[in-house]
Amino acid sequence: MLKTFSLGGVHPHENKLSAHQPIIQAAVPGKAVILLGQHIGAPAQAIVAKGDLVKVGTRIADPNGFVSAPVHSSVSGKVTKVDSIVDASGYARPAVFIDVEGDEWEESIDRSDKLVRECNLTPEQIIKKISDAGIVGLGGACFPTHVKLTPPPSFKAECVIINAVECEPYLTADHQLMLEHAEEILVGVSILMKAVKVNKAFIGIENNKPDAIELMKKVAASYAGVEIVPLKVQYPQGGEKQLIDAVIGRQVASGALPISAGAVVQNVGTAFAVYQAVQKNKPLIERVITVTGKSVEKPSNFMARIGTPMKQLVDACGGLPEDTGKVIGGGPMMGKALTGIDIPTAKGSSGILIMKKEEARRAEAKRCIRCAKCVGVCPMGLEPYLLSALARNAEFERMETERIMDCIECGSCQFTCPAALPLLDFCRLGKARVGAMIRARQAKN
């Protein structure tokens, strides 16, 4: 029997329209806008100014604290300004604007395709290289990778778990990355194992990717301690706590970190980026992005430079369809609607989903019928109908008591609600307010 997590979950239509589309190297943009806050934690601090010349791989911003990450130029050219721009969240964020001139790379970056398997660095040296390269989690959360690799002294890692689930409908970037770069990913996994001083790693892949499972098993056979774990198709299996439950059968307690279960979880795209950073001296300057939708002329997977306008990728797929109702950054379950497609891509840009008007239109919300379906599918064991009601009534202290901070914002509750209630919207609102309350309380103390 295939493994999966033990509580809740749903199975939306997969709609993997871009599956098996080879990764296309996206054209270098004429202008790049590189955001300084592409990670959880403090935004990076710009170290370039108007008129400065940069190359591909030049560091343009330093981390601004331990939970932060440096930012590098993905293009070569001249800095025109350091200003703000609306990002995928809909808010204005600081960014470096660059007019592209040619494609000159930093000489320290190894651009060859030659596989480099051996890594003779110490764990500390590996973590420093990962930190200096600006590597963050590429599954969506964008948590700085070096922080995950340095858990508090009271915790000890027992294994690395690689998230190759890609359970969001439509997205195929991780699937195609495995098919085209399995060897590099496995080297990256072995480097992560060395960094956290463990001799066991698991790569969880949902069973709707049999070709990736077969290939990764074949390649992993020559890497000690790495096991491929086929998983039942069940959303949101890509959540850290759900993946730990599915792969090693351990539950992470409310409010606890995944490391408390002995696991360090990293996305498969992050493992590839770690290989490039440690073995090729290449900072995180590009990533695979899926552009898809039922009316998109040619759903595709692109290797795109960070800071490329999303419009450029959409145009490369045939342009914005006439029946477009909504454009989502990410997948349909956890992604967020974009204000436009001139937004620059970032480290966390896994996909651009173009939804037809009929798909994008929400059903009219009705009264809750107390069916408890939202409770049954919640993978965190919460009561979404209650949390939603508390948020509507601004009862944020009660929301904290009812564990709103455990919500992973997966949208399973809203997906399954027969009354079409905006449960996720209110849970997100309440979680943000409660999070702000907690931070204010901690600062005061």
Side-chain angles (χ1 to χ4, degrees):
M1 179 182 285
L2 290 169
K3 292 183 175 182
T4 189
F5 55 97
S6 55
L7 188 64
V10 293
H11 188 177
H13 293 298
E14 294 170 20
N15 291 318
K16 304 284 190 178
L17 308 176
S18 52
H20 306 108
Q21 290 298 321
I23 297 171
I24 302 168
Q25 186 69 51
V28 178
K31 296 178 185 288
V33 181
I34 302 177
L35 294 158
L36 299 181
Q38 301 187 52
H39 48 265
I40 283 180
Q45 189 72 40
I47 56 174
V48 293
K50 181 179 178 179
D52 288 351
L53 296 175
V54 296
K55 298 178 182 179
V56 178
T58 300
R59 185 185 285 212
I60 59 175
D62 282 339
N64 196 15
F66 179 61
V67 185
S68 187
V71 177
H72 301 77
S73 176
S74 62
V75 295
S76 63
K78 182 181 289 187
V79 175
T80 57
K81 59 180 176 177
V82 179
D83 203 347
S84 60
I85 189 172
V86 173
D87 71 354
S89 71
Y91 293 95
R93 308 291 189 193
V96 175
F97 293 69
I98 302 171
D99 277 351
V100 179
E101 300 170 2
D103 194 31
E104 187 177 357
W105 290 54
E106 291 285 356
E107 293 180 0
S108 59
I109 300 173
D110 179 0
R111 299 178 64 190
S112 73
D113 292 330
K114 182 182 177 182
L115 181 74
V116 182
R117 275 191 65 159
E118 296 302 318
C119 175
N120 298 315
L121 302 179
T122 66
E124 294 73 24
Q125 289 171 327
I126 290 171
I127 293 171
K128 186 177 188 309
K129 287 198 81 167
I130 288 170
S131 176
D132 289 345
I135 308 298
V136 302
L138 297 184
C142 296
F143 198 85
T145 301
H146 71 275
V147 179
K148 269 196 178 182
L149 299 179
T150 16
S154 56
F155 295 106
K156 177 173 173 52
E158 298 175 32
C159 66
V160 168
I161 297 178
I162 299 299
N163 180 357
V165 171
E166 201 163 43
C167 59
E168 268 274 12
Y170 287 96
L171 303 186
T172 59
D174 290 349
H175 184 184
Q176 196 60 32
L177 185 68
M178 286 187 280
L179 295 181
E180 297 189 27
H181 295 284
E183 283 279 7
E184 294 96 323
I185 290 167
L186 265 299
V187 175
V189 173
S190 64
I191 290 170
L192 288 167
M193 292 166 65
K194 187 173 184 180
V196 293
K197 303 174 185 176
V198 299
N199 56 16
K200 189 63 182 176
F202 303 93
I203 303 179
I205 309 174
E206 283 195 327
N207 205 42
N208 59 356
K209 307 171 188 65
D211 49 356
I213 291 172
E214 182 182 356
L215 176 61
M216 294 292 279
K217 278 185 174 180
K218 180 179 177 182
V219 176
S222 59
Y223 290 83
V226 181
E227 179 183 340
I228 308 303
V229 183
L231 300 170
K232 179 183 175 182
V233 178
Q234 183 86 334
Y235 177 88
Q237 196 133 232
E240 274 191 310
K241 295 181 179 182
Q242 286 67 42
L243 189 59
I244 291 169
D245 183 9
V247 172
I248 61 175
R250 297 182 186 177
Q251 281 74 44
V252 180
S254 173
L257 297 171
I259 187 63
S260 65
V264 173
V265 181
Q266 298 287 351
N267 179 263
V268 69
T270 309
F272 178 64
V274 163
Y275 165 80
Q276 293 186 312
V278 176
Q279 305 295 76
K280 298 288 188 174
N281 294 313
K282 181 181 177 182
L284 184 51
I285 56 171
E286 60 183 358
R287 66 156 297 155
V288 184
I289 302 174
T290 299
V291 182
T292 185
K294 291 179 181 176
S295 292
V296 172
E297 186 177 313
K298 187 185 176 186
S300 303
N301 299 302
F302 292 99
M303 181 69 79
R305 305 279 181 98
I306 304 298
T308 300
M310 291 186 180
K311 183 178 186 303
Q312 179 179 319
L313 302 181
V314 172
D315 287 345
C317 292
L320 206 61
E322 289 185 8
D323 63 352
T324 297
K326 187 182 290 184
V327 181
I328 293 176
M333 297 296 287
M334 295 186 73
K336 296 181 181 178
L338 303 176
T339 57
I341 57 173
D342 290 322
I343 292 167
T345 58
K347 294 177 183 179
S349 299
S350 57
I352 303 169
L353 171 59
I354 301 168
M355 298 186 76
K356 300 194 295 184
K357 289 177 183 176
E358 61 206 56
E359 285 182 300
R361 190 178 298 114
R362 287 192 178 192
E364 183 180 350
K366 303 176 182 65
R367 292 175 67 97
C368 176
I369 61 172
R370 303 293 191 268
C371 67
K373 283 188 174 181
C374 62
V375 178
V377 300
C378 178
M380 297 305 296
L382 305 177
E383 297 177 274
Y385 73 93
L386 173 60
L387 293 168
S388 173
L390 294 174
R392 285 200 304 273
N393 294 314
E395 295 184 45
F396 301 118
E397 291 81 5
R398 174 87 185 277
M399 290 191 79
E400 182 178 1
T401 304
E402 296 291 344
R403 301 193 296 123
I404 183 59
M405 298 310 293
D406 282 346
C407 173
I408 62 172
E409 302 178 33
C410 67
S412 296
C413 55
Q414 190 160 305
F415 174 81
T416 199
C417 179
L421 294 172
L423 300 173
L424 173 60
D425 299 349
F426 279 111
C427 286
R428 273 178 171 162
L429 170 67
K431 185 179 175 183
R433 291 293 295 273
V434 172
M437 279 170 35
I438 293 171
R439 289 190 295 273
R441 188 166 65 230
Q442 291 170 340
K444 189 176 180 180
N445 294 335

